[in-house]
Amino acid sequence: DIVAAPTQPPATPARADPYRHTIAGTDIHLGIVSADAVPAKQRPTGAPSGKGYYYLNISLFDSKTKAAISGAQVKVKVADLMGVENKTLEAISANNMVSYGGFFGMSGPELYTITAQIQRPGVASVTEAKFQYKAR
């Protein structure tokens, strides 16, 4: 009798990271944490805290060189069925890396659409990236 060797199940394709996009030569990474998770010594004066507030961080890298992009202007719109909040993110430097961040209110359990408009230095066009996030 010939016994067939067990077969391996087909590999599951890797899922794309919903918080990373590559658009127009820019790798865009979105990070989101509860505002309470930001250490007090790193929180700007007057920054919100408590349930329903989140810190959004956008990190930008050149797709070819993988170098962090500094000097960009990053505007973010957070929208749900109840409203919209728009902000220009502040440049933040940590560990010799630049990123862009700001605090937003996201108090409900609904799905939020986060739209980042990125103006890279020396680039005429604005790059737009959209993300979906469900607040916990």
Side-chain angles (χ1 to χ4, degrees):
D1 290 330
I2 298 176
V3 178
T7 60
Q8 296 290 326
T12 304
R15 280 211 232 170
D17 185 337
Y19 301 121
R20 292 183 181 196
H21 294 306
T22 299
I23 302 170
T26 305
D27 292 337
I28 306 159
H29 301 236
L30 171 68
I32 303 173
V33 297
S34 169
D36 288 341
V38 177
K41 65 182 179 181
Q42 294 177 347
R43 193 176 309 180
T45 303
S49 63
K51 188 170 175 58
Y53 290 99
Y54 291 82
Y55 182 77
L56 275 62
N57 181 276
I58 302 274
S59 298
L60 305 172
F61 301 91
D62 184 274
S63 296
K64 290 181 185 173
T65 67
K66 303 302 180 197
I69 297 170
S70 61
Q73 183 176 18
V74 181
K75 295 180 181 180
V76 169
K77 174 174 74 173
V78 175
D80 69 354
L81 295 174
M82 302 302 290
V84 174
E85 187 174 1
N86 292 290
K87 289 186 180 177
T88 298
L89 301 186
E90 294 181 37
I92 296 146
S93 180
N95 299 325
N96 297 322
M97 295 277 286
V98 173
S99 63
Y100 306 86
F103 291 89
F104 290 83
M106 294 190 288
S107 60
E110 54 275 334
L111 189 64
Y112 290 85
T113 299
I114 300 167
T115 306
Q117 292 185 327
I118 300 151
Q119 180 69 59
R120 285 181 65 167
V123 177
S125 61
V126 173
T127 300
E128 184 172 283
K130 289 192 178 192
F131 303 90
Q132 299 290 315
Y133 181 75
K134 188 167 180 111
R136 294 176 192 8

